[in-house]
Amino acid sequence: MTPELLEECEKYRQHFSDLLEIGCKIVYLPKDGPACLLPKDNLDFCAHCTHGKNKGLTTHLYGCHEAHRWNGKYIYYCPLGLTYIAASISDKSGAVAGGLVLGPIVMGEMQDVLYDIAAPEMAWAVSQLSTFSTHKVRHISEILSAVTVRISESGRLKRESPANNQEKLLNEIYIAKDYYADGDAKSAEMLLKFENELHFAMLRGEKSSALEMINEMLAHIHVYSNFDVSAIKARLLELLVILSRATIEAGADPAETFRLSENFISQIEQYTDVDQLALWISDIVRRFIVQAFDLAQIKHSDVVFKTTNFIKRNFNEKLSLDSLAKEVFLSKSYLSSIFKKETGMSLTAYITKVRVEKSKKMLLENNASLAIISSQCGFKDQSYFTKVFKKETGVSPKRFRSSNSDAQTV
């Protein structure tokens, strides 16, 4: 970000923070150097979080990248289960330059969030946060996105031209031309060498090496293709396949990686000169690296919290693996796998747990019949409800109601 763009971000960050009385941070992604959250102060909730999986910066990087993917805005959960709203800011090339992040907030019922928090000190801190309905959170995300779109557009006009990147590429092209001065007999061999080195850099998570390698590889592709845009596009599409496979081997979700690849393939047609293509492929390398190494664990936590939140809000409906997978845009097998890994239980077991907990509350709060309770808690009939309830608690629903009613009376 330029100083002017950063100043714009700070102005709107303060507006949102004061108006909504919730935290607002700038995710800053400099061209050179590590990402960071601004401002750096002691009021940052994430900095004081004692949750074992707390990864504040990584969590919000994930939010900004997902916002960039989903038309500029994204609502997500941190590993503690709190809600954040991210809106991305794009640079002149369309790549993610950073974003604004609002939160943490509690979306929905406070008691549902507190139920899953084990640490007493964090439960108290969370209980002091603002609570918003899902409806209001969506309104806020729309407004935040509108602001960052404006910032991105004004930033594009103020930003310096990508001359530095072009100069690096031009220098590499001169070197490549010298290499091919006596013909292109070695061209295929050299391109394969670059492809292998890039592949291994991706597997090892060597981000800086992979990005540095891109300009050199692009130079050879340009010279090999005789600077013909159509031929360069063909080589870049081949490179895209290699990058996607390396990303999957490094541990990224195959379905997500294939989806990204399909989007990139559709994008390539809009570029008409070599400078645009150079910026485009460099951004792709960054996106794949982020997908493979930076955000995988955070994405898993976010998906799990989205899934559990959906189950809590729809426990009385028919819930299937198909419907849950569609809700979080993942394959059924992948969702089942990461849910089990993150929570230690299957989706079916979790759904049962939620329904039984809701039925306990109903049994104690009103005199509704078991048939009504079983229906309102998502069980197919009273007999099945009784069977599952006894298996989970050790007693029948009737015994549970009578025993706890007697205890409350005493």
Side-chain angles (χ1 to χ4, degrees):
M1 291 184 189
T2 61
E4 294 84 2
L5 182 55
L6 200 54
E7 186 178 344
E8 283 277 278
C9 289
E10 172 57 27
K11 179 176 72 175
Y12 286 105
R13 182 202 71 79
Q14 193 66 54
H15 286 326
F16 277 106
S17 183
D18 290 348
L19 179 65
L20 298 172
E21 297 183 337
I22 57 178
C24 186
K25 287 283 185 179
I26 300 168
V27 176
Y28 178 42
L29 287 160
K31 285 290 185 183
D32 300 309
C36 63
L37 288 174
L38 300 174
K40 297 178 180 178
D41 54 41
N42 291 326
L43 299 177
D44 184 12
F45 186 93
C46 295
H48 299 282
C49 181
T50 60
H51 191 276
K53 297 180 181 179
N54 177 43
K55 298 179 180 179
L57 175 59
T58 309
T59 301
H60 304 318
L61 275 173
Y62 164 75
C64 288
H65 279 283
E66 289 296 285
H68 185 66
R69 167 186 165 190
W70 296 106
N71 297 319
K73 58 185 180 295
Y74 192 67
I75 300 165
Y76 58 104
Y77 293 89
C78 74
L80 191 63
L82 303 175
T83 302
Y84 286 84
I85 307 166
S88 61
I89 297 170
S90 300
D91 64 15
K92 189 174 181 180
S93 70
V96 180
L100 289 177
V101 171
L102 279 169
I105 58 177
V106 173
M107 183 168 66
E109 296 293 331
M110 177 68 78
Q111 62 182 13
D112 286 340
V113 176
L114 294 176
Y115 180 80
D116 293 321
I117 298 176
E121 68 277 12
M122 289 312 302
W124 182 87
V126 169
S127 71
Q128 306 305 301
L129 296 175
S130 299
T131 302
F132 290 91
S133 67
T134 304
H135 192 59
K136 285 187 177 180
V137 167
R138 286 174 180 160
H139 283 318
I140 294 170
S141 71
E142 290 289 346
I143 296 169
L144 185 66
S145 176
V147 168
T148 54
V149 166
R150 180 200 172 280
I151 292 175
S152 295
E153 291 297 330
S154 62
R156 286 193 186 113
L157 297 175
K158 297 175 184 175
R159 294 181 69 84
E160 299 174 357
S161 66
N164 189 43
N165 185 68
Q166 291 173 352
E167 183 180 351
K168 289 179 182 178
L169 179 57
L170 190 59
N171 289 335
E172 295 295 345
I173 287 175
Y174 284 138
I175 296 171
K177 278 185 174 180
D178 290 339
Y179 181 84
Y180 296 121
D182 298 326
D184 64 351
K186 298 179 181 178
S187 60
E189 178 185 337
M190 179 56 74
L191 287 177
L192 285 173
K193 176 178 177 291
F194 279 122
E195 289 174 0
N196 287 332
E197 288 178 356
L198 183 60
H199 182 100
F200 285 116
M202 293 285 288
L203 287 179
R204 292 190 295 265
E206 297 171 355
K207 306 174 195 177
S208 57
S209 296
L211 291 171
E212 287 172 7
M213 204 179 299
I214 279 296
N215 272 334
E216 191 176 0
M217 190 172 183
L218 281 173
H220 282 263
I221 289 175
H222 287 2
V223 176
Y224 175 78
S225 305
N226 199 27
F227 298 92
D228 177 78
V229 173
S230 297
I232 291 172
K233 286 182 178 180
R235 299 290 80 76
L236 291 181
L237 287 174
E238 292 170 359
L239 177 59
L240 185 59
V241 173
I242 293 166
L243 289 170
S244 64
R245 293 298 185 273
T247 304
I248 292 170
E249 287 181 50
D253 173 20
E256 173 67 9
T257 305
F258 289 148
R259 190 201 64 77
L260 283 174
S261 295
E262 290 167 4
N263 284 351
F264 292 144
I265 290 170
S266 66
Q267 290 171 6
I268 197 171
E269 292 305 320
Q270 66 185 288
Y271 300 111
T272 56
D273 64 59
V274 292
D275 290 333
Q276 290 175 328
L277 286 168
L279 288 169
W280 175 76
I281 195 66
S282 296
D283 185 45
I284 286 176
V285 174
R286 291 187 182 91
R287 290 289 298 277
F288 275 132
I289 288 173
V290 163
Q291 177 71 15
F293 304 107
D294 289 349
L295 309 180
Q297 184 57 48
I298 296 300
K299 177 178 179 178
H300 291 175
S301 296
D302 182 45
V303 165
V304 168
F305 280 116
K306 274 186 166 62
T307 304
T308 56
N309 189 53
F310 183 79
I311 291 170
K312 288 173 183 176
R313 288 186 288 109
N314 298 277
F315 66 92
N316 57 327
E317 304 290 338
K318 182 179 180 181
L319 295 173
S320 66
L321 184 53
D322 275 329
S323 63
L324 293 171
K326 288 177 181 176
E327 182 69 21
V328 294
F329 305 101
L330 292 180
S331 67
K332 294 185 289 184
S333 59
Y334 190 63
L335 174 59
S336 296
S337 173
I338 64 173
F339 193 92
K340 177 77 173 178
K341 184 177 179 181
E342 288 285 310
T343 67
M345 66 175 70
S346 68
L347 276 162
T348 302
Y350 183 80
I351 292 170
T352 299
K353 175 187 172 184
V354 170
R355 285 173 170 166
V356 168
E357 290 302 317
K358 295 294 183 181
S359 68
K360 284 181 181 179
K361 189 176 180 181
M362 290 186 67
L363 284 165
L364 299 179
E365 288 183 350
N366 57 61
N367 294 319
S369 67
L370 296 187
I372 291 175
I373 293 175
S374 65
S375 174
Q376 292 184 353
C377 290
F379 295 99
K380 61 183 179 181
D381 54 50
Q382 181 181 334
S383 175
Y384 181 67
F385 165 53
T386 301
K387 179 181 177 182
V388 171
F389 191 95
K390 189 170 184 178
K391 182 180 179 182
E392 292 291 313
T393 66
V395 296
S396 69
K398 285 184 178 179
R399 176 63 63 86
F400 176 84
R401 172 180 267 171
S402 62
S403 298
N404 285 278
S405 294
D406 291 342
Q408 287 179 345
T409 302
V410 174

